[in-house]
Amino acid sequence: MIRLLSTRPITATALLLWQRQYAVSAAERLGSYASEDMTNVDHLVIGGGVVGLAVGRQLAARQGNTLVVEKNRGFGMETSSRNSEVIHAGIYYPKTSLRTRLCIEGKNMLYKYCQEHNVPFKKTGKWVVAQNDEQAEYLRQLAEHCADVDVPVHMVSQKQAKHDEPCVQAHAVLASPTTGIIDSHALMSALHQDLTERGADLAVGTEVQAIHRDDTGGYRVLVATGDTDVPYMAVRAASVVNAAGLWADRIACMLVPDDHEWHSKYKLHFAKGRYYLHTNSSNSPSISVQRLVYPVPDKQITSLGTHLTLDMGGAIRFGPDLEWVSSNTDYATDGGEPIKKVAAAIAEYLPMIQAKDLAPGYTGIRPKLQLPGGVFRDFVIKEESDAGFPGFVNLLGIESPGLTS
């Protein structure tokens, strides 16, 4: 078993202060470690979200030892737990993209994994709803795309739609029967259990401060432990997987000089989304919905719109909206679009909703490679031998449908 000295949490403020104060000395500190003073591992995974846990689980099944490091006090405290908890079908993105291919493959694997590991899920199905002829044409084109990528969908007549979901208003409906919902926390707990049962370790409260390519092969990684007695430790890893989510561009750029193309090529942009709860008060209308309901997305698929989802208890929530922010730690629920505007967007497909029926719930931040208003960008999943870093794997821009993929 690999042991780091502390699992005490490091606050976001402390992390930023350390990064500023030790931007130079961290690299120098890492270079000062003798080989015999380093913790040696075969596989190091940076980031303990759902992707990092899944990667660590798979690596743990291979020969050698695996260590997953996570800067927060527990696993999955950022994007992995601040989302819609949807198992996506893989209907929106270009046919040859990783987002489509991995979502379709991941969806089938995820349903099987949930059944085998008693992770709560429901195959609820989903409707994408159009409100005019132009949007209805988009649904017809989307149906053709889904046939091309072998994802089952079908159009629903207005009569059938009104029968099935009397609360929902739609000019046209495309149904996706393989979409579902999942308890993401239970999923991560199952992945963590698998990981540890296979002999791997998860070190929480452990923040990567510097990474060097080792002259003898592999990588030297300096981590802050949060322990006042031994605040730093050095790890030598034969291979490294950067699954740091909102921080993945910063981790990648620790390896390269300031003028390297990665600083622009891998730069992440932060899309904050707020989720709203249906208050279900005596003054709110009674709403009964059996499946997820999504509006037609914007043309660049920057956002899938402020949609209706269900949690595992059947409670209704709406979101996320979209606000581009500069900070990847800004989880405040205030600000953003006025709640009346949010309610108006929802009311296009759920006309009984008013602003008084919504209460702020939580927020999430999506790490996007796509610029605000820019063209579609796919996941980056790349072993970086071509850049001179064999055995270093970058995972960047892993946003929706990353939980499924």
Side-chain angles (χ1 to χ4, degrees):
M1 175 173 288
I2 304 160
R3 293 191 181 275
L4 299 184
L5 294 185
S6 175
T7 58
R8 278 188 276 176
I10 305 173
T11 66
T13 301
L15 288 174
L16 291 173
L17 288 174
W18 281 351
Q19 287 170 347
R20 291 168 184 164
Q21 185 175 356
Y22 297 110
V24 175
S25 62
E28 294 174 345
R29 188 186 302 272
L30 178 57
S32 70
Y33 278 85
S35 296
E36 59 269 22
D37 296 327
M38 305 184 79
T39 298
N40 290 283
V41 300
D42 294 287
H43 312 295
L44 175 67
V45 181
I46 302 172
V50 66
V51 174
L53 293 172
V55 170
R57 170 183 178 270
Q58 289 302 105
L59 290 174
R62 299 183 178 184
Q63 186 174 3
N65 55 356
T66 298
L67 172 64
V68 180
V69 294
E70 166 57 46
K71 68 180 182 61
N72 291 305
R73 65 180 182 273
F75 56 75
M77 295 184 66
E78 295 181 355
T79 307
S80 297
S81 59
R82 293 173 170 269
N83 57 73
S84 300
E85 295 187 298
V86 171
I87 300 176
H88 286 285
I91 67 176
Y92 292 108
Y93 303 105
K95 178 180 180 179
T96 59
S97 68
L98 290 173
R99 288 205 201 186
T100 293
R101 181 169 63 83
L102 297 182
C103 184
I104 295 170
E105 184 178 355
K107 169 187 61 179
N108 298 326
M109 295 173 66
L110 189 52
Y111 279 130
K112 181 180 179 182
Y113 184 85
C114 288
Q115 289 176 326
E116 293 175 347
H117 292 79
N118 296 315
V119 175
F121 76 97
K122 291 181 182 178
K123 194 177 286 189
T124 57
K126 160 181 158 179
W127 280 4
V128 185
V129 296
Q131 302 302 334
N132 53 49
D133 288 342
E134 181 182 359
Q135 292 185 352
E137 176 58 29
Y138 169 83
L139 293 189
R140 285 187 284 271
Q141 294 175 7
L142 186 59
E144 292 177 359
H145 167 72
C146 290
D148 195 30
V149 296
D150 200 25
V151 173
V153 297
H154 61 272
M155 299 298 296
V156 180
S157 70
Q158 285 186 318
K159 181 179 179 181
Q160 188 65 43
K162 184 55 65 176
H163 176 270
D164 291 349
E165 296 287 5
C167 292
V168 175
Q169 175 176 282
H171 178 68
V173 174
L174 181 71
S176 168
T178 60
T179 300
I181 56 175
I182 186 172
D183 183 335
S184 62
H185 302 274
L187 171 63
M188 289 186 284
S189 293
L191 291 171
H192 177 233
Q193 182 175 341
D194 280 353
L195 182 153
T196 55
E197 287 179 352
R198 292 178 176 185
D201 291 276
L202 170 68
V204 297
T206 305
E207 162 72 5
V208 172
Q209 295 285 300
I211 308 173
H212 289 173
R213 180 86 170 92
D214 195 271
D215 293 337
T216 60
Y219 298 87
R220 293 180 171 221
V221 182
L222 182 72
V223 298
T225 66
D227 190 296
T228 54
D229 295 325
V230 185
Y232 296 98
M233 291 189 68
V235 178
R236 185 166 58 185
S239 68
V240 177
V241 178
N242 172 17
L246 292 165
W247 308 83
D249 56 343
R250 303 187 191 189
I251 294 296
C253 289
M254 287 180 181
L255 268 176
V256 298
D258 290 343
D259 60 352
H260 197 278
E261 67 170 351
W262 283 5
H263 288 275
S264 57
K265 180 181 178 181
Y266 289 162
K267 179 177 175 57
L268 292 174
H269 308 275
F270 306 121
K272 180 178 178 178
R274 293 167 182 79
Y275 290 84
Y276 299 86
L277 308 179
H278 181 235
T279 58
N280 206 25
S281 67
S282 58
N283 295 324
S284 297
S286 177
I287 299 174
S288 176
V289 179
Q290 304 304 314
R291 52 183 57 75
L292 315 186
V293 183
Y294 281 57
V296 168
D298 64 62
K299 292 182 179 179
Q300 302 297 342
I301 325 179
T302 308
S303 168
L304 299 183
T306 303
H307 45 265
L308 181 158
T309 60
L310 305 168
D311 66 17
M312 293 303 301
I316 293 173
R317 56 190 173 191
F318 302 97
D321 58 8
L322 174 63
E323 178 190 4
W324 295 98
V325 294
S326 59
S327 170
N328 60 1
T329 60
D330 176 12
Y331 293 110
T333 56
D334 57 355
E337 292 186 337
I339 198 165
K340 286 185 177 180
K341 189 173 181 180
V342 175
I346 298 168
E348 290 187 4
Y349 60 84
L350 208 64
M352 67 284 292
I353 283 291
Q354 300 180 44
K356 67 178 180 63
D357 305 320
L358 302 177
Y362 60 97
T363 62
I365 301 175
R366 288 154 282 175
K368 287 183 173 288
L369 289 164
Q370 181 179 355
L371 285 162
V375 297
F376 169 81
R377 290 283 303 274
D378 202 2
F379 295 156
V380 168
I381 302 176
K382 193 173 190 305
E383 195 275 339
E384 299 288 1
S385 289
D386 291 347
F389 302 106
F392 193 95
V393 180
N394 271 320
L395 310 179
L396 292 110
I398 311 298
E399 48 152 331
S400 181
L403 183 66
T404 308
S405 303

